[in-house]
Amino acid sequence: MQIVDLNGPWKMKEQNSQDWLDGIVPGSVMNDLLQNGVIEDPFYRDNEDKAYEISSKNYVYSREFIIDEEMLNRDKVVLVCEGIDTISTILLNDTWVSNTNNMHSRYEFDVKPLLKAGVNKITITLFSPIQYVKERQQEEPLWGVGDAIEGYPHIRKAHYMFGWDWGPKIPDLGIWRNIYIAAWDVARIDDVYVTQKHEDGKVDLDIRVRLEKWRQDALSLEVTITDPDGETDTKVVETFANEEHVMFHIAKPKLWWPNGYGDQPLYKMNVSIFSASEKVDQKEFHIGLRTITVRHEPDQWGKSFEFVVNGISIFAMGANYIPEDNLIARNTPEKTERLIQDCIQANFNMIRVWGGGYYPDDYFFDLCDRYGLIVWQDFMFACSVYQLTDEFKESIKKEAIDNIKRIRHHACLGIWCGNNEIEEAWVNWGLPNKPKLKTDYIKIFEVLLPDLLKEMDPQTFYWPSSPSSGGGFDQPNNENAGDVHYWQVWHGLKPFTEYRKFQFRFCSEFGFQSFPSLKTIKTFTLPEDRNIFSYVMEKHQKNGAANGKILFYLSENFLYPKDFPSLLYASQLLQAEAIKYGVEHWRRNRGRSMGSLYWQLNDCWPVASWSSIDSYGRWKALHYFAKKFYVPVLLSICEEGTDADIYVTNDSLKPIVGRIEWKLRTNTSEVIKEGTVECEVEKLSAKKCESLSFAEILTPEKMRETYLECTLWIDGEKHSSTTVLFTKPKHFRFVDPKIKWEVRDEKDQFVIFIEAEGGFAKYVELDLEEADCKFSDNYFDLSKGEVRSIVVAKSSLSENMSIDQFAKQLSVRTIYDMA
Ligand code: BMA
């Protein structure tokens, strides 16, 4: 195989302009205009408004490249475009090659007759996605979400680029993935498909290799598997056929497990073909030995929805993932790796790739394989109505095939899901009554996609929509069957405790908004913008009613914050508490409930949103909370009135024997009453370990100054602790906790020793004024008399600093400082 890489510097210009600028491929128009200083950062203040005009124009990309005689003489020469965004025309040496109209597809064109030895020229014209959807929408109006530019369902382009309730309207254009010319002699590997059979602790692999051949020569097909210890096993097959199956028997398989359940050993596969001992093509990738499916069976509550990995039912813990930037060109594997590490640090075992973005790059799946995150992969359809014309059908079919083939071998792939919320929309959202379009829904999500998967990836579970009870418009958001998106807390303004009324089988979306940190807000505002109702702040709040909702929940829970930074802090605490109420409740009901994926993990730009990590990678209070509420062994308290039940949820593979110490304390942390409980909790189960009632002690007055603290000890070690109030925080009589801290430099880490000398400190927040870092814990509660040590790995610091610089930048606040 011979490759001429077309990535790198290109020339680009607006179609009607005479001035060529420097462009970079893979990349995008916005990114190139930004790099050339033609436009300002579209995320700054209200610059987003300028994007509409930029995206209303057409752009031309062009470059020259050299092809040698040898390449021209090969049997097959193709132009490969791994991703073009979106409507384009491709010319080679001024001759038309093809048009494209699907960002999610991989394109390949035979170009041998169009190339010449020496200098060649490729020109790609990208047409305005805005003009395209406008014209199509006039012909046939299609329903889509109100936050996006009208007509977006007409184009196979990541929906969020047109705007969402957390995303700006910046429909960028570009050659967004690799582009190259490839040539082969004799044959090439068209497709490799691996299936696994697990039986009696052994694994049989069937590696099906399909070849595309241009000559009838005998080929030798060589498959090598390198196990996680580096041991190799090679099989060679001499063949004249177009398809071969190569089998491997693995007697001592090292199984792949999601994070929290075991390791992630990967097996490297190399498939090569040789003609007369010359290698003509090869493919290399990793697999993990595991089974993953979803158990969806009738039971006493309805119909289950639980992920079963290597025979073990796991409680899915994670969040929903959206694209990482509006200017996709700015993504990097390093940035994504940090985000995946953040998920692992917060004890996730699953991530849902939401259907309004794009199918992530290979490196995303490689990272999930390596770190142990099960991927819930939506097909890229969300909150919209589509019209199944012949052209659209061909387009989405090809898109699905390309992505199924690309992704299916990954160990992390846990489920294919047809779409986000479209079945639910047809049933519950009052869409325009168009029976033909409703039938089209069934044809796409309950016929076309499952049929394709039956043929191409039968080992991965398919689910028609999220939420769904299994399809056919049959109660898609049923609390007792399938998965649920629950939005009554937040959109419905219900209190956090409302989550406790439901024992969803699997909650794949629920969320609560907050503002990003002041450091992040400073990147897009001037000082005069720093009021949540300012023009600029509202530009960075895409959900119309959201600021009102934050203020409503604020009024329910906290005192009125004294200033802008305190309001930001309060909003993050509300968010963290809300989600904690839901997750802890469902984890206490492990068995009936088997999954929690909150909305949403990340942001694509600096914005007020449901994310737990903002677009600069800064952890909000929620992410620190997630680290605690997703811990495999969870201690939690369910309080009601003057009662409190103490639970331990054990999502580990071992039973635990522990001791719970509880202390009823005053606001200055004096102990009023205390006790201990010995607990044994089976693996993969949840148990109520104690029921406490303080009706006699907790008069209405006392409720306002008393809290319960519980600590779990396992094998003599303090595992975790948690507290609850018996009143809303706004009514609790917090005293000045008189926080004292000291930092020590311990080789590759700083350790902060922190203490509350005055009384109970709630929501202790640590932050650095300018730099960023990860604290081993944050937004925690501290009783008087306890010294907590918080670790900051120096590798997590955004810049090198001395202990003095670190201590100088360190700021500490608690709820007491908020009002
Ligand atoms: C869910 C998602 C998104 C949306 C979020 C917040 O329904 O699927 O479409 O951004 O709610 O409203």
Side-chain angles (χ1 to χ4, degrees), residues 711-737:
T711 306
L712 174 64
W713 298 78
I714 302 176
D715 298 331
E717 300 229 359
K718 183 171 163 183
H719 175 273
S720 52
S721 66
T722 184
T723 71
V724 282
L725 306 182
F726 294 95
T727 182
K728 296 276 178 68
K730 63 181 175 179
H731 294 150
F732 192 87
R733 291 196 195 93
F734 288 104
V735 296
D736 183 351

PDB file of all heavy atoms in Angstrom, residues 711-737:
ATOM      1  N   THR A 711     -19.729   7.875  59.242  1.00  0.00           N
ATOM      2  CA  THR A 711     -18.423   7.490  58.704  1.00  0.00           C
ATOM      3  C   THR A 711     -18.404   5.983  58.543  1.00  0.00           C
ATOM      4  O   THR A 711     -18.849   5.247  59.427  1.00  0.00           O
ATOM      5  CB  THR A 711     -17.304   7.921  59.668  1.00  0.00           C
ATOM      6  OG1 THR A 711     -17.459   9.326  59.916  1.00  0.00           O
ATOM      7  CG2 THR A 711     -15.928   7.666  59.086  1.00  0.00           C
ATOM      8  N   LEU A 712     -17.899   5.557  57.395  1.00  0.00           N
ATOM      9  CA  LEU A 712     -17.803   4.113  57.141  1.00  0.00           C
ATOM     10  C   LEU A 712     -16.347   3.676  57.278  1.00  0.00           C
ATOM     11  O   LEU A 712     -15.451   4.278  56.671  1.00  0.00           O
ATOM     12  CB  LEU A 712     -18.319   3.799  55.727  1.00  0.00           C
ATOM     13  CG  LEU A 712     -18.165   2.359  55.239  1.00  0.00           C
ATOM     14  CD1 LEU A 712     -18.997   1.387  56.075  1.00  0.00           C
ATOM     15  CD2 LEU A 712     -18.557   2.251  53.752  1.00  0.00           C
ATOM     16  N   TRP A 713     -16.127   2.668  58.094  1.00  0.00           N
ATOM     17  CA  TRP A 713     -14.799   2.088  58.270  1.00  0.00           C
ATOM     18  C   TRP A 713     -14.801   0.698  57.673  1.00  0.00           C
ATOM     19  O   TRP A 713     -15.705  -0.094  57.934  1.00  0.00           O
ATOM     20  CB  TRP A 713     -14.440   1.990  59.759  1.00  0.00           C
ATOM     21  CG  TRP A 713     -14.380   3.324  60.443  1.00  0.00           C
ATOM     22  CD1 TRP A 713     -15.433   4.069  60.866  1.00  0.00           C
ATOM     23  CD2 TRP A 713     -13.201   4.072  60.768  1.00  0.00           C
ATOM     24  NE1 TRP A 713     -15.001   5.246  61.436  1.00  0.00           N
ATOM     25  CE2 TRP A 713     -13.616   5.266  61.391  1.00  0.00           C
ATOM     26  CE3 TRP A 713     -11.823   3.836  60.581  1.00  0.00           C
ATOM     27  CZ2 TRP A 713     -12.727   6.236  61.836  1.00  0.00           C
ATOM     28  CZ3 TRP A 713     -10.936   4.803  61.029  1.00  0.00           C
ATOM     29  CH2 TRP A 713     -11.381   5.986  61.646  1.00  0.00           C
ATOM     30  N   ILE A 714     -13.799   0.434  56.847  1.00  0.00           N
ATOM     31  CA  ILE A 714     -13.672  -0.926  56.302  1.00  0.00           C
ATOM     32  C   ILE A 714     -12.259  -1.406  56.591  1.00  0.00           C
ATOM     33  O   ILE A 714     -11.291  -0.692  56.311  1.00  0.00           O
ATOM     34  CB  ILE A 714     -13.941  -0.962  54.775  1.00  0.00           C
ATOM     35  CG1 ILE A 714     -15.350  -0.426  54.467  1.00  0.00           C
ATOM     36  CG2 ILE A 714     -13.799  -2.380  54.232  1.00  0.00           C
ATOM     37  CD1 ILE A 714     -15.672  -0.336  52.994  1.00  0.00           C
ATOM     38  N   ASP A 715     -12.154  -2.594  57.152  1.00  0.00           N
ATOM     39  CA  ASP A 715     -10.847  -3.152  57.533  1.00  0.00           C
ATOM     40  C   ASP A 715     -10.031  -2.152  58.345  1.00  0.00           C
ATOM     41  O   ASP A 715      -8.834  -1.959  58.096  1.00  0.00           O
ATOM     42  CB  ASP A 715     -10.045  -3.574  56.280  1.00  0.00           C
ATOM     43  CG  ASP A 715     -10.774  -4.663  55.512  1.00  0.00           C
ATOM     44  OD1 ASP A 715     -11.522  -5.439  56.146  1.00  0.00           O
ATOM     45  OD2 ASP A 715     -10.608  -4.715  54.273  1.00  0.00           O
ATOM     46  N   GLY A 716     -10.675  -1.501  59.275  1.00  0.00           N
ATOM     47  CA  GLY A 716      -9.957  -0.593  60.157  1.00  0.00           C
ATOM     48  C   GLY A 716      -9.576   0.726  59.526  1.00  0.00           C
ATOM     49  O   GLY A 716      -8.947   1.578  60.149  1.00  0.00           O
ATOM     50  N   GLU A 717      -9.907   0.934  58.248  1.00  0.00           N
ATOM     51  CA  GLU A 717      -9.549   2.187  57.589  1.00  0.00           C
ATOM     52  C   GLU A 717     -10.785   3.025  57.335  1.00  0.00           C
ATOM     53  O   GLU A 717     -11.844   2.490  56.990  1.00  0.00           O
ATOM     54  CB  GLU A 717      -8.912   1.892  56.224  1.00  0.00           C
ATOM     55  CG  GLU A 717      -7.670   1.066  56.334  1.00  0.00           C
ATOM     56  CD  GLU A 717      -6.537   1.670  55.521  1.00  0.00           C
ATOM     57  OE1 GLU A 717      -6.771   2.708  54.875  1.00  0.00           O
ATOM     58  OE2 GLU A 717      -5.450   1.095  55.565  1.00  0.00           O
ATOM     59  N   LYS A 718     -10.614   4.331  57.476  1.00  0.00           N
ATOM     60  CA  LYS A 718     -11.743   5.213  57.194  1.00  0.00           C
ATOM     61  C   LYS A 718     -11.994   5.206  55.684  1.00  0.00           C
ATOM     62  O   LYS A 718     -11.122   5.574  54.904  1.00  0.00           O
ATOM     63  CB  LYS A 718     -11.414   6.623  57.681  1.00  0.00           C
ATOM     64  CG  LYS A 718     -12.553   7.579  57.494  1.00  0.00           C
ATOM     65  CD  LYS A 718     -12.262   8.902  58.186  1.00  0.00           C
ATOM     66  CE  LYS A 718     -13.200   9.937  57.622  1.00  0.00           C
ATOM     67  NZ  LYS A 718     -12.958  11.252  58.167  1.00  0.00           N
ATOM     68  N   HIS A 719     -13.151   4.766  55.296  1.00  0.00           N
ATOM     69  CA  HIS A 719     -13.458   4.676  53.866  1.00  0.00           C
ATOM     70  C   HIS A 719     -14.066   5.977  53.345  1.00  0.00           C
ATOM     71  O   HIS A 719     -13.644   6.521  52.330  1.00  0.00           O
ATOM     72  CB  HIS A 719     -14.408   3.499  53.622  1.00  0.00           C
ATOM     73  CG  HIS A 719     -14.882   3.385  52.205  1.00  0.00           C
ATOM     74  ND1 HIS A 719     -15.989   4.048  51.739  1.00  0.00           N
ATOM     75  CD2 HIS A 719     -14.383   2.706  51.140  1.00  0.00           C
ATOM     76  CE1 HIS A 719     -16.158   3.776  50.457  1.00  0.00           C
ATOM     77  NE2 HIS A 719     -15.193   2.963  50.077  1.00  0.00           N
ATOM     78  N   SER A 720     -15.073   6.488  54.037  1.00  0.00           N
ATOM     79  CA  SER A 720     -15.735   7.708  53.573  1.00  0.00           C
ATOM     80  C   SER A 720     -16.627   8.237  54.681  1.00  0.00           C
ATOM     81  O   SER A 720     -16.949   7.518  55.615  1.00  0.00           O
ATOM     82  CB  SER A 720     -16.585   7.410  52.335  1.00  0.00           C
ATOM     83  OG  SER A 720     -17.448   6.329  52.590  1.00  0.00           O
ATOM     84  N   SER A 721     -17.014   9.484  54.530  1.00  0.00           N
ATOM     85  CA  SER A 721     -17.982  10.013  55.487  1.00  0.00           C
ATOM     86  C   SER A 721     -18.943  10.939  54.765  1.00  0.00           C
ATOM     87  O   SER A 721     -18.656  11.432  53.671  1.00  0.00           O
ATOM     88  CB  SER A 721     -17.278  10.728  56.632  1.00  0.00           C
ATOM     89  OG  SER A 721     -16.639  11.874  56.153  1.00  0.00           O
ATOM     90  N   THR A 722     -20.085  11.133  55.367  1.00  0.00           N
ATOM     91  CA  THR A 722     -21.102  11.971  54.727  1.00  0.00           C
ATOM     92  C   THR A 722     -21.947  12.628  55.809  1.00  0.00           C
ATOM     93  O   THR A 722     -21.996  12.137  56.948  1.00  0.00           O
ATOM     94  CB  THR A 722     -21.955  11.132  53.743  1.00  0.00           C
ATOM     95  OG1 THR A 722     -22.862  11.982  53.061  1.00  0.00           O
ATOM     96  CG2 THR A 722     -22.740  10.038  54.451  1.00  0.00           C
ATOM     97  N   THR A 723     -22.593  13.728  55.455  1.00  0.00           N
ATOM     98  CA  THR A 723     -23.441  14.418  56.439  1.00  0.00           C
ATOM     99  C   THR A 723     -24.793  14.740  55.815  1.00  0.00           C
ATOM    100  O   THR A 723     -24.913  14.822  54.589  1.00  0.00           O
ATOM    101  CB  THR A 723     -22.825  15.757  56.902  1.00  0.00           C
ATOM    102  OG1 THR A 723     -22.913  16.691  55.825  1.00  0.00           O
ATOM    103  CG2 THR A 723     -21.392  15.615  57.349  1.00  0.00           C
ATOM    104  N   VAL A 724     -25.792  14.902  56.675  1.00  0.00           N
ATOM    105  CA  VAL A 724     -27.063  15.485  56.204  1.00  0.00           C
ATOM    106  C   VAL A 724     -27.550  16.514  57.217  1.00  0.00           C
ATOM    107  O   VAL A 724     -27.313  16.390  58.422  1.00  0.00           O
ATOM    108  CB  VAL A 724     -28.223  14.481  56.017  1.00  0.00           C
ATOM    109  CG1 VAL A 724     -28.092  13.699  54.743  1.00  0.00           C
ATOM    110  CG2 VAL A 724     -28.428  13.586  57.214  1.00  0.00           C
ATOM    111  N   LEU A 725     -28.252  17.511  56.684  1.00  0.00           N
ATOM    112  CA  LEU A 725     -28.946  18.487  57.530  1.00  0.00           C
ATOM    113  C   LEU A 725     -30.391  18.012  57.646  1.00  0.00           C
ATOM    114  O   LEU A 725     -30.866  17.236  56.820  1.00  0.00           O
ATOM    115  CB  LEU A 725     -28.924  19.871  56.883  1.00  0.00           C
ATOM    116  CG  LEU A 725     -27.577  20.462  56.466  1.00  0.00           C
ATOM    117  CD1 LEU A 725     -27.781  21.868  55.894  1.00  0.00           C
ATOM    118  CD2 LEU A 725     -26.607  20.497  57.642  1.00  0.00           C
ATOM    119  N   PHE A 726     -31.098  18.532  58.630  1.00  0.00           N
ATOM    120  CA  PHE A 726     -32.520  18.209  58.764  1.00  0.00           C
ATOM    121  C   PHE A 726     -33.394  19.400  58.378  1.00  0.00           C
ATOM    122  O   PHE A 726     -34.573  19.451  58.670  1.00  0.00           O
ATOM    123  CB  PHE A 726     -32.825  17.752  60.198  1.00  0.00           C
ATOM    124  CG  PHE A 726     -32.151  16.439  60.520  1.00  0.00           C
ATOM    125  CD1 PHE A 726     -30.911  16.417  61.161  1.00  0.00           C
ATOM    126  CD2 PHE A 726     -32.721  15.240  60.146  1.00  0.00           C
ATOM    127  CE1 PHE A 726     -30.273  15.212  61.431  1.00  0.00           C
ATOM    128  CE2 PHE A 726     -32.096  14.029  60.416  1.00  0.00           C
ATOM    129  CZ  PHE A 726     -30.863  14.016  61.059  1.00  0.00           C
ATOM    130  N   THR A 727     -32.759  20.369  57.757  1.00  0.00           N
ATOM    131  CA  THR A 727     -33.496  21.546  57.288  1.00  0.00           C
ATOM    132  C   THR A 727     -32.816  22.027  56.017  1.00  0.00           C
ATOM    133  O   THR A 727     -31.735  21.581  55.667  1.00  0.00           O
ATOM    134  CB  THR A 727     -33.462  22.651  58.372  1.00  0.00           C
ATOM    135  OG1 THR A 727     -34.207  23.758  57.918  1.00  0.00           O
ATOM    136  CG2 THR A 727     -32.039  23.117  58.656  1.00  0.00           C
ATOM    137  N   LYS A 728     -33.466  22.917  55.305  1.00  0.00           N
ATOM    138  CA  LYS A 728     -32.826  23.512  54.121  1.00  0.00           C
ATOM    139  C   LYS A 728     -31.600  24.284  54.587  1.00  0.00           C
ATOM    140  O   LYS A 728     -31.658  24.962  55.636  1.00  0.00           O
ATOM    141  CB  LYS A 728     -33.793  24.461  53.432  1.00  0.00           C
ATOM    142  CG  LYS A 728     -35.039  23.780  52.866  1.00  0.00           C
ATOM    143  CD  LYS A 728     -34.731  23.225  51.496  1.00  0.00           C
ATOM    144  CE  LYS A 728     -35.902  22.485  50.874  1.00  0.00           C
ATOM    145  NZ  LYS A 728     -37.026  23.341  50.513  1.00  0.00           N
ATOM    146  N   PRO A 729     -30.522  24.262  53.819  1.00  0.00           N
ATOM    147  CA  PRO A 729     -29.315  24.991  54.240  1.00  0.00           C
ATOM    148  C   PRO A 729     -29.587  26.471  54.538  1.00  0.00           C
ATOM    149  O   PRO A 729     -28.966  27.047  55.426  1.00  0.00           O
ATOM    150  CB  PRO A 729     -28.371  24.855  53.045  1.00  0.00           C
ATOM    151  CG  PRO A 729     -28.857  23.675  52.284  1.00  0.00           C
ATOM    152  CD  PRO A 729     -30.321  23.511  52.570  1.00  0.00           C
ATOM    153  N   LYS A 730     -30.557  27.064  53.824  1.00  0.00           N
ATOM    154  CA  LYS A 730     -30.814  28.498  54.040  1.00  0.00           C
ATOM    155  C   LYS A 730     -31.298  28.767  55.476  1.00  0.00           C
ATOM    156  O   LYS A 730     -31.156  29.871  55.980  1.00  0.00           O
ATOM    157  CB  LYS A 730     -31.847  29.032  53.026  1.00  0.00           C
ATOM    158  CG  LYS A 730     -33.225  28.407  53.141  1.00  0.00           C
ATOM    159  CD  LYS A 730     -34.192  28.966  52.089  1.00  0.00           C
ATOM    160  CE  LYS A 730     -35.528  28.227  52.160  1.00  0.00           C
ATOM    161  NZ  LYS A 730     -36.505  28.728  51.201  1.00  0.00           N
ATOM    162  N   HIS A 731     -31.898  27.756  56.103  1.00  0.00           N
ATOM    163  CA  HIS A 731     -32.416  27.944  57.454  1.00  0.00           C
ATOM    164  C   HIS A 731     -31.496  27.393  58.542  1.00  0.00           C
ATOM    165  O   HIS A 731     -31.818  27.460  59.731  1.00  0.00           O
ATOM    166  CB  HIS A 731     -33.812  27.302  57.579  1.00  0.00           C
ATOM    167  CG  HIS A 731     -34.831  27.988  56.731  1.00  0.00           C
ATOM    168  ND1 HIS A 731     -35.922  27.349  56.187  1.00  0.00           N
ATOM    169  CD2 HIS A 731     -34.906  29.283  56.295  1.00  0.00           C
ATOM    170  CE1 HIS A 731     -36.626  28.214  55.468  1.00  0.00           C
ATOM    171  NE2 HIS A 731     -36.027  29.386  55.518  1.00  0.00           N
ATOM    172  N   PHE A 732     -30.388  26.854  58.136  1.00  0.00           N
ATOM    173  CA  PHE A 732     -29.466  26.277  59.127  1.00  0.00           C
ATOM    174  C   PHE A 732     -28.607  27.393  59.740  1.00  0.00           C
ATOM    175  O   PHE A 732     -28.141  28.281  59.031  1.00  0.00           O
ATOM    176  CB  PHE A 732     -28.571  25.230  58.457  1.00  0.00           C
ATOM    177  CG  PHE A 732     -27.796  24.378  59.427  1.00  0.00           C
ATOM    178  CD1 PHE A 732     -28.348  23.216  59.960  1.00  0.00           C
ATOM    179  CD2 PHE A 732     -26.508  24.746  59.820  1.00  0.00           C
ATOM    180  CE1 PHE A 732     -27.632  22.425  60.861  1.00  0.00           C
ATOM    181  CE2 PHE A 732     -25.789  23.963  60.724  1.00  0.00           C
ATOM    182  CZ  PHE A 732     -26.357  22.804  61.244  1.00  0.00           C
ATOM    183  N   ARG A 733     -28.413  27.301  61.041  1.00  0.00           N
ATOM    184  CA  ARG A 733     -27.614  28.346  61.715  1.00  0.00           C
ATOM    185  C   ARG A 733     -26.132  28.005  61.628  1.00  0.00           C
ATOM    186  O   ARG A 733     -25.556  27.437  62.548  1.00  0.00           O
ATOM    187  CB  ARG A 733     -28.017  28.459  63.188  1.00  0.00           C
ATOM    188  CG  ARG A 733     -29.385  29.018  63.409  1.00  0.00           C
ATOM    189  CD  ARG A 733     -29.567  29.467  64.853  1.00  0.00           C
ATOM    190  NE  ARG A 733     -30.985  29.667  65.102  1.00  0.00           N
ATOM    191  CZ  ARG A 733     -31.794  28.735  65.609  1.00  0.00           C
ATOM    192  NH1 ARG A 733     -31.316  27.559  65.967  1.00  0.00           N
ATOM    193  NH2 ARG A 733     -33.073  28.993  65.783  1.00  0.00           N
ATOM    194  N   PHE A 734     -25.537  28.323  60.501  1.00  0.00           N
ATOM    195  CA  PHE A 734     -24.094  28.084  60.372  1.00  0.00           C
ATOM    196  C   PHE A 734     -23.336  29.104  61.201  1.00  0.00           C
ATOM    197  O   PHE A 734     -23.695  30.282  61.237  1.00  0.00           O
ATOM    198  CB  PHE A 734     -23.662  28.195  58.906  1.00  0.00           C
ATOM    199  CG  PHE A 734     -24.123  27.047  58.061  1.00  0.00           C
ATOM    200  CD1 PHE A 734     -25.191  27.192  57.174  1.00  0.00           C
ATOM    201  CD2 PHE A 734     -23.506  25.812  58.154  1.00  0.00           C
ATOM    202  CE1 PHE A 734     -25.625  26.136  56.401  1.00  0.00           C
ATOM    203  CE2 PHE A 734     -23.933  24.744  57.376  1.00  0.00           C
ATOM    204  CZ  PHE A 734     -24.990  24.898  56.492  1.00  0.00           C
ATOM    205  N   VAL A 735     -22.299  28.629  61.870  1.00  0.00           N
ATOM    206  CA  VAL A 735     -21.430  29.558  62.592  1.00  0.00           C
ATOM    207  C   VAL A 735     -20.162  29.748  61.762  1.00  0.00           C
ATOM    208  O   VAL A 735     -19.906  28.967  60.833  1.00  0.00           O
ATOM    209  CB  VAL A 735     -21.051  29.004  63.991  1.00  0.00           C
ATOM    210  CG1 VAL A 735     -22.288  28.866  64.863  1.00  0.00           C
ATOM    211  CG2 VAL A 735     -20.328  27.659  63.858  1.00  0.00           C
ATOM    212  N   ASP A 736     -19.409  30.762  62.097  1.00  0.00           N
ATOM    213  CA  ASP A 736     -18.154  30.971  61.369  1.00  0.00           C
ATOM    214  C   ASP A 736     -17.239  29.775  61.642  1.00  0.00           C
ATOM    215  O   ASP A 736     -16.821  29.553  62.786  1.00  0.00           O
ATOM    216  CB  ASP A 736     -17.500  32.268  61.850  1.00  0.00           C
ATOM    217  CG  ASP A 736     -16.224  32.566  61.071  1.00  0.00           C
ATOM    218  OD1 ASP A 736     -15.774  31.692  60.300  1.00  0.00           O
ATOM    219  OD2 ASP A 736     -15.672  33.674  61.252  1.00  0.00           O
ATOM    220  N   PRO A 737     -16.918  28.970  60.624  1.00  0.00           N
ATOM    221  CA  PRO A 737     -16.137  27.759  60.886  1.00  0.00           C
ATOM    222  C   PRO A 737     -14.663  28.042  61.175  1.00  0.00           C
ATOM    223  O   PRO A 737     -13.919  27.145  61.561  1.00  0.00           O
ATOM    224  CB  PRO A 737     -16.305  26.949  59.598  1.00  0.00           C
ATOM    225  CG  PRO A 737     -16.575  27.963  58.540  1.00  0.00           C
ATOM    226  CD  PRO A 737     -17.289  29.097  59.200  1.00  0.00           C
TER     227      PRO A 737
END
